[in-house]
Amino acid sequence: MCGIIGAIGNKNIVPTLIESLKRLEYRGYDSAGIAAVVNHDIQRRRTVGKISELANSLASSPIESNVGIGHTRWATHGKPSVANAHPHASDTVALVHNGIIENHSSLRHDLEKKGYVFSSETDTETVVHLITDELKKGKTPLSAVKDALKQLEGSFAFGIIFKDSPDTLIGAKKGSPLAIGKKDGCVFLGSDAIALSAETNDVIYLEDGDVVELNENSITIYDKNDKIVERELHKNVISGDSVGKDPYAHFMLKEIYEQPIAISKTFASLMTSNRNIDAAKIPVDWSRISKITILACGTASYAGLVSKYWFEQLARIPVEYDVASEFRYREAAMAKDGLTIVISQSGETADTLAAMKYAKEQGQKILSIVNVLHSSIARNSDIVIPTLAGAEIGVASTKAFTTQLTVLLMLALNAAQNKNTISRNALQETLAAISDLPAKIEAALQESDSIKEIAEKIKSANSALYLGRGSLFPIALEGALKLKEISYIHAEGYPAGEMKHGPIALVDEHMPIVVLAPSDNLFDKTASNIQEVAARNGKVILVSDTEGYKKLSDKAADSIIVPSANKNVLPILYVVSLQILAYWCALKRGNDVDQPRNLAKSVTVE
Ligand code: F6R
């Protein structure tokens, strides 16, 4: 989604704007731009494509200024073009925006009637003219912004500069995230802590309805009631270094290889020193929970779907699962004494936030699992359990997913322990299996070269199927999603047992069918499905342990070996091989693995 940055200080801030925009690249974008005040004039540079294009444009036509704003745009209203790229400007004001102005058509109509001329198709440009109109009435920049905001419906984070007030940078937030930082005579605003990472050690997260006025040495925040307020200062846990990808070729690859350490840290954060689950970190009385509702989007939702199997099998708690974009509008009846678990890497996904709000209004207790600690979802939850994955930059989620699974399994075990539905032995065995996961994942990653060879064989496929049973069915969904998003090969995840009810008609000698078949209680069932596919000349890629390989490899065109492990941790282990398969397929097709086309990292609009 769009990323915004702004800076004001005692030095030329243009290089800082460019650096910060580079750090925002991970959010996904199609054009970029900056604006700055130079000698009572607003100067802009905007380009379509990568930040390097913008840097080249600045190199040939430099700008120096003490106050400016920058933007990476992920197109919503109007195609990617220079005219639609931010910052948008009039001759008195320039601004950058993340979010959507829902009443932009009627505002545009009224402004055009007043004689304002639009040069873009965007919703954002209406706000430029609204503020300009308020300034014409003789208002200060701050009052002009506040009065313009009153006319807006929708979501926004803004950074705004003024031709005639080179000592002022204004920010405003409603629905979209906005963070503020300060360092060495400069003050910054940005979409997230990553944008500010090289610049500041401390970060303030604005609340909805806040307007902030920034000067070289001061930060003044007005809340939704127009009262001056202080907002809590947080350590910026993201350092400049932690957002580099060295020595890996891509962030996605680095993040796949970081999974052992990320899982290990997340596991340790929920354990006591004497190897028990740290119940103090999970303040839920599970015996009083009548039902769990799990809400999330995309990959995070598949983590939720895996946990449905865990909560039901281990703790005997009924679970309802839904994708947040559907849940938010279906007026679901919710159980009394229900717990809603919300899962989100970014903590800012608009659909997830809206679904969570509905659940809250229905009297549900909200437990969230987030990777970005001070995100909107975290701030609006009753209980927050962080995943300790560190910054995830690759658009395709990997380590956030496996750490979400780790937390969810720990919650299910804690619930089972609380409700006496698990034996002490079974509990200790599963905890030991989670503790062994980092080593097993490292072993699974040793297969990367042979997975690369399989990728070479399937890279030209038009379509692929992923099959799994039980808690590996959501992993089939996730494997298919990973392949779709970065290799652009159509793929579908399916419960293996459903094949014969339709999809088997698709089987031919061209379509790869990735089958997840660990040697567990469902192995024989999945083996039958493999036989059915093989009998129709289907190209099976078997993903199994050594035992499964021995039994079934003759039916498969290729095999990926995964270490054997306790049944409960298999979803966390098996997904790693599928991440690597998608990675190599995408690379062999020449795709941009970290910034796949059309995708954004943090989806802050509906
Ligand atoms: C896929 C992916 C997305 C996200 C989804 C939710 O690789 O990353 O499907 O999982 O957009 O995002 P968060 O977890 O930030 O709420």
Side-chain angles (χ1 to χ4, degrees):
M1 281 299 100
C2 301
I4 70 175
I5 179 77
I8 184 163
N10 56 11
K11 60 175 188 186
N12 175 20
I13 47 71
V14 174
T16 301
L17 294 180
I18 292 293
E19 279 313 307
S20 299
L21 288 180
K22 281 186 189 154
R23 283 196 298 278
L24 282 171
E25 281 189 297
Y26 82 99
R27 293 167 74 96
Y29 70 108
D30 40 55
S31 52
I34 68 153
V37 181
V38 184
N39 299 331
H40 287 276
D41 181 30
I42 290 175
Q43 294 212 3
R44 281 189 291 171
R45 303 285 179 272
R46 297 178 293 165
T47 50
V48 174
K50 297 286 177 195
I51 303 294
S52 52
E53 303 288 329
L54 183 65
N56 290 343
S57 151
L58 274 163
S60 54
S61 178
I63 301 179
E64 277 194 26
S65 174
N66 290 12
V67 57
I69 48 180
H71 191 264
T72 49
R73 175 171 187 255
W74 187 82
T76 55
H77 293 71
K79 62 182 184 307
S81 67
V82 170
N84 288 333
H86 299 216
H88 290 288
S90 66
D91 54 1
T92 49
V93 59
L95 65 81
V96 284
H97 171 214
N98 173 24
I100 288 187
I101 305 303
E102 283 162 6
N103 58 337
H104 72 102
S105 299
S106 61
L107 290 173
R108 189 177 183 121
H109 179 74
D110 295 348
L111 286 160
E112 280 174 339
K113 276 214 309 224
K114 281 187 176 174
Y116 287 95
V117 177
F118 282 74
S119 56
S120 78
E121 303 158 85
T122 63
D123 52 331
T124 303
E125 197 183 345
T126 52
V127 188
V128 171
H129 298 309
L130 276 181
I131 298 173
T132 306
D133 203 50
E134 297 297 334
L135 285 169
K136 276 188 189 158
K137 297 175 190 164
K139 296 181 184 174
T140 62
L142 186 63
S143 305
V145 169
K146 285 180 182 171
D147 289 342
L149 294 182
K150 287 179 194 148
Q151 302 169 58
L152 304 182
E153 285 162 25
S155 63
F156 52 75
F158 288 119
I160 313 164
I161 55 172
F162 306 85
K163 174 176 93 97
D164 294 320
S165 301
D167 54 352
T168 305
L169 167 63
I170 291 182
K173 169 196 156 48
K174 188 184 146 209
S176 303
L178 193 61
I180 308 293
K182 190 173 177 202
K183 189 180 176 186
D184 303 338
C186 283
V187 186
F188 309 88
L189 58 77
S191 290
D192 59 27
I194 294 177
L196 306 178
S197 65
E199 307 308 330
T200 60
N201 300 326
D202 298 316
V203 174
I204 296 166
Y205 295 93
L206 295 188
E207 300 283 335
D208 274 351
D210 284 355
V211 175
V212 62
E213 186 174 39
L214 307 176
N215 305 118
E216 190 180 311
N217 295 310
S218 67
I219 299 171
T220 314
I221 303 171
Y222 300 83
D223 71 3
K224 57 175 187 282
N225 301 316
D226 209 16
K227 295 255 168 339
I228 293 186
V229 285
E230 296 282 325
R231 297 271 178 238
E232 207 182 329
L233 206 60
H234 299 277
K235 277 263 152 290
N236 189 356
V237 287
I238 298 177
S239 70
D241 294 346
S242 67
V243 292
K245 63 177 186 283
D246 284 346
Y248 294 91
H250 297 96
F251 280 108
M252 183 182 176
L253 192 63
K254 173 177 177 254
E255 288 159 7
I256 288 173
Y257 277 84
E258 279 173 351
Q259 291 179 109
I261 181 81
I263 289 170
S264 171
K265 277 189 186 169
T266 304
F267 174 62
S269 73
L270 293 173
M271 292 291 283
T272 62
S273 51
N274 51 357
R275 293 159 164 248
N276 285 317
I277 299 174
D278 190 346
K281 302 264 179 62
I282 309 171
V284 180
D285 181 356
W286 297 100
S287 60
R288 298 176 69 97
I289 302 293
S290 59
K291 184 176 178 185
I292 295 173
T293 303
I294 298 181
L295 302 173
C297 293
T299 289
S301 81
Y302 297 148
L305 187 52
V306 171
S307 77
K308 175 177 165 69
Y309 293 81
W310 288 332
F311 280 114
E312 292 187 341
Q313 285 168 2
L314 297 169
R316 311 304 299 156
I317 303 177
V319 175
E320 182 182 351
Y321 151 90
D322 205 351
V323 287
S325 53
E326 281 300 312
F327 181 84
R328 63 182 290 188
Y329 293 117
R330 81 171 159 89
E331 296 173 30
M334 302 197 78
K336 190 171 172 293
D337 295 325
L339 174 74
T340 292
I341 300 184
V342 175
I343 310 162
S344 176
Q345 188 285 127
S346 63
E348 300 294 348
T349 301
D351 283 323
T352 311
L353 256 169
M356 166 173 151
K357 188 164 167 259
Y358 175 84
K360 227 175 169 177
E361 284 162 6
Q362 299 297 306
Q364 298 276 300
K365 196 177 187 102
I366 310 285
L367 182 155
S368 67
I369 299 171
V370 295
N371 198 39
V372 180
L373 247 191
H374 304 290
S375 53
S376 306
I377 288 177
R379 290 202 307 268
N380 288 292
S381 304
D382 300 306
I383 302 166
V384 181
I385 311 222
T387 48
L388 303 188
E392 189 179 67
I393 307 290
V395 164
S397 188
T398 52
K399 61 178 180 171
F401 179 66
T402 46
T403 52
Q404 285 159 358
L405 287 172
T406 306
V407 170
L408 286 160
L409 179 52
M410 301 284 289
L411 293 184
L413 290 171
N414 178 243
Q417 191 180 21
N418 207 214
K419 292 187 67 198
N420 270 325
T421 52
I422 191 167
S423 70
R424 194 171 160 70
N425 270 355
L427 175 67
Q428 286 308 325
E429 266 171 36
T430 308
L431 288 175
I434 306 175
S435 155
D436 287 349
L437 259 179
K440 301 226 170 182
I441 289 177
E442 269 161 21
L445 286 169
Q446 303 286 324
E447 293 285 302
S448 178
D449 283 346
S450 61
I451 296 176
K452 188 175 173 180
E453 284 168 25
I454 299 173
E456 177 62 34
K457 294 187 207 164
I458 67 168
K459 68 176 188 202
S460 307
N462 291 323
S463 201
L465 268 181
Y466 284 68
L467 305 180
R469 277 177 182 266
S471 62
L472 286 177
F473 158 55
I475 298 305
L477 294 173
E478 171 60 5
L481 178 63
K482 286 283 95 78
L483 192 74
K484 273 186 276 215
E485 25 177 25
I486 60 170
S487 76
Y488 316 145
I489 297 173
H490 168 253
E492 266 189 75
Y494 237 84
E498 278 290 295
M499 270 294 277
K500 52 191 167 300
H501 299 292
I504 201 158
L506 294 169
V507 173
D508 62 16
E509 66 277 26
H510 304 298
M511 185 165 66
I513 304 177
V514 180
V515 188
L516 311 178
S519 306
D520 60 8
N521 56 329
L522 297 172
F523 179 81
D524 291 340
K525 310 273 174 212
T526 312
S528 304
N529 304 131
I530 291 180
Q531 305 274 10
E532 288 154 12
V533 171
R536 288 159 182 85
N537 292 328
K539 199 154 106 188
V540 171
I541 298 169
L542 173 71
V543 188
S544 187
D545 42 50
T546 320
E547 207 183 316
Y549 173 79
K550 279 188 205 147
K551 291 184 186 158
L552 282 176
S553 61
D554 59 325
K555 299 281 175 294
D558 283 291
S559 300
I560 298 173
I561 309 281
V562 178
S564 51
N566 175 292
K567 168 178 175 277
N568 290 323
V569 302
L570 292 177
I572 315 180
L573 189 54
Y574 271 59
V575 75
V576 174
S577 305
L578 304 189
Q579 295 166 346
I580 287 283
L581 180 63
Y583 173 81
W584 285 123
C585 280
L587 215 67
K588 286 184 177 295
R589 288 167 68 100
N591 295 350
D592 185 340
V593 173
D594 285 333
Q595 287 159 35
R597 71 184 180 203
N598 306 337
L599 290 180
K601 181 70 183 162
S602 171
V603 186
T604 51
V605 296
E606 244 190 286

